């Protein structure tokens, strides 16, 4: 029986390009700022990591760079999770092996969504079980209907998968607190960790027994998320709620500035490293995205981030 990842704050890290090639120096700078910000773990090649735009060699390099950078700067205990979902069982198995070789601790696997009508309940269960059977890494199931052609794994499917000895958790980017609560009240957190997938659901998820969060907005504000989580752990719920109230608005602002593209522009502008360039067919977020109400909300949260000591 594999052990679930430790509870806490995880970040699906964005990556950076320069002249359409990976900017490894910027990736290293980002990994270090996140680690110094107090994250429990870093997810390489999550939905914000542009895995679909990378070759297998590039995916390996990003995972290895993440692990090596953490180890070289005293962050050996920071968990590295790797997104390894692919359109076929065979490729997903290969990506899991490569992720292990690159230094990942866990694999996060999306359900294939190229032909959604082919993904019956039986095929979904078989895919994830076959992948977990062969995986050298403990596996978490990634439920994100937006990037899987609308395929939304229900709690019955996820509870069935939780019985597998090498499936140790799930990231719920579907945003369903009811589903999260059904899963946490069925499965022990030590064997099946349920993570909220959005910053607007950090505290609601914790109230319902989640293991924490794996969320895009942590790319900008790791210290704020770590502070909220610590306040919750310390029983200071009222203080945690004040931060959560602000995070709910900020999370919405991040979605309105363009998601991944807006995040990369904000990281580049706020922290002074990395280009906001994207690999085609995506295009960079316009500078106007950080002007106006959404930009003001992000800069207000940046003030709080900068006020928290590492």
């Amino acid at each position: 029986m594999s052990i679930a990842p430790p509870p806490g704050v995880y970040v699906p890290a964005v990556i950076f390009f320069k002249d359409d090639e990976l900017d490894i120096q910027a990736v290293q700078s980002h990994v270090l700022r996140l680690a110094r910000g107090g994250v429990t773990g870093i997810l390489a090649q999550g939905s914000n990591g542009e895995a679909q735009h990378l070759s297998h060699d590039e995916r390996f390099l990003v995972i290895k760079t993440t692990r090596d950078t953490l180890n070289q700067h005293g962050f050996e205990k920071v968990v590295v999770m790797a997104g390894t979902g692919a359109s076929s069982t065979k490729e997903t198995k290969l990506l899991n092996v490569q992720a292990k070789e690159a230094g990942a601790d866990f694999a996060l696997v999306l359900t294939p969504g190229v032909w959604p009508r082919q993904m019956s309940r039986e095929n979904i269960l078989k895919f994830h079980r076959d992948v977990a059977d062969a995986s050298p890494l403990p596996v978490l199931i990634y439920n994100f209907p937006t990037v899987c052609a609308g395929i939304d794994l229900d709690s019955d499917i996820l509870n069935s998968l939780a019985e597998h000895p090498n499936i140790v958790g799930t990231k719920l980017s579907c945003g369903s607190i009811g589903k999260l609560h059904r899963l946490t009240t069925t499965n022990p957190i030590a064997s099946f960790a349920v993570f909220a997938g959005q910053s607007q659901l950090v505290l609601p998820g914790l109230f319902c027994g989640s293991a924490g969060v794996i969320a895009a907005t942590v790319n900008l504000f790791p210290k704020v998320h770590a502070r909220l989580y610590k306040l919750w752990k310390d029983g200071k719920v009222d203080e945690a709620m004040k931060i959560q109230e602000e995070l709910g608005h900020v999370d919405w602002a991040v979605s309105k500035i363009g998601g991944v593209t807006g995040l990369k522009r904000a990281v580049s502008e706020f922290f002074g490293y990395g280009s906001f360039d994207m690999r085609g067919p995506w295009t960079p977020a316009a500078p106007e995205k950080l002007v106006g109400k959404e930009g003001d909300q992000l800069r207000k949260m940046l003030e709080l981030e900068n006020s928290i000591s590492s």
Side-chain angles (χ1 to χ4, degrees), residues 30-242:
H30 193 52
V31 166
L32 272 180
R33 185 176 65 81
L34 295 171
R36 289 167 177 159
V39 300
T40 309
I42 295 176
L43 168 60
Q45 274 99 65
S47 297
N48 290 272
E50 299 183 67
Q52 69 274 26
H53 298 157
L54 303 181
S55 68
H56 280 213
D57 287 346
E58 289 174 322
R59 291 174 74 144
F60 184 96
L61 178 58
V62 171
I63 298 167
K64 188 175 189 304
T65 297
T66 300
R67 181 73 274 164
D68 289 349
T69 301
L70 291 169
N71 290 353
Q72 291 162 9
H73 292 84
F75 294 105
E76 294 89 351
K77 292 184 178 179
V78 174
V79 174
V80 174
M81 197 176 290
T84 59
S87 294
S88 72
T89 304
K90 182 176 181 179
E91 186 179 11
T92 305
K93 289 179 179 179
L94 175 60
L95 288 169
N96 283 343
V97 171
Q98 292 173 341
K100 170 72 172 180
E101 293 172 349
D105 303 298
F106 296 90
L108 181 69
V109 179
L110 274 168
T111 301
V114 175
W115 294 102
R117 292 184 181 180
Q118 294 295 324
M119 297 308 293
S120 63
R121 174 187 174 86
E122 292 73 22
N123 283 350
I124 289 170
L125 290 169
K126 179 172 172 47
F127 166 77
H128 284 293
R129 286 168 177 161
D130 287 350
V131 166
D133 283 343
S135 178
L137 294 171
V139 171
L140 289 85
I141 309 301
Y142 188 8
N143 186 50
F144 195 3
T146 299
V147 299
C148 293
I151 297 172
D152 187 2
L153 307 187
D154 61 33
S155 54
D156 292 338
I157 289 176
L158 290 166
N159 276 326
S160 294
L161 292 172
E163 297 173 0
H164 192 287
N166 201 33
I167 294 178
V168 297
T170 185
K171 177 189 177 186
L172 298 180
S173 291
C174 53
S176 172
I177 282 290
K179 183 187 299 182
L180 182 151
H181 203 192
R182 289 190 293 276
L183 292 169
T184 61
T185 52
T186 304
N187 304 284
I189 194 171
S191 59
F192 192 78
V194 183
F195 291 93
Q198 300 161 348
S199 293
Q200 63 185 344
L201 297 177
V202 180
L203 199 55
L206 290 169
F207 274 119
C208 291
S210 80
V213 69
I214 306 173
T217 302
V218 184
N219 278 285
L220 293 176
F221 310 117
K223 294 179 185 178
V224 172
H225 287 78
R227 167 72 66 84
L228 188 160
Y229 184 73
K230 186 176 187 304
L231 288 169
W232 162 261
K233 295 290 287 183
D234 291 345
K236 299 178 180 179
V237 176
D238 289 344
E239 292 180 57
M241 183 60 77
K242 290 179 182 178

Side-chain angles (χ1 to χ4, degrees), residues 199-201 228 241-255 297 301:
S199 293
Q200 63 185 344
L201 297 177
L228 188 160
M241 183 60 77
K242 290 179 182 178
I243 295 178
Q244 182 63 69
E245 289 171 0
E246 297 299 322
L247 271 182
H249 293 284
V250 166
D251 212 28
W252 180 234
V254 167
S255 70
Q297 289 174 322
M301 186 60 76

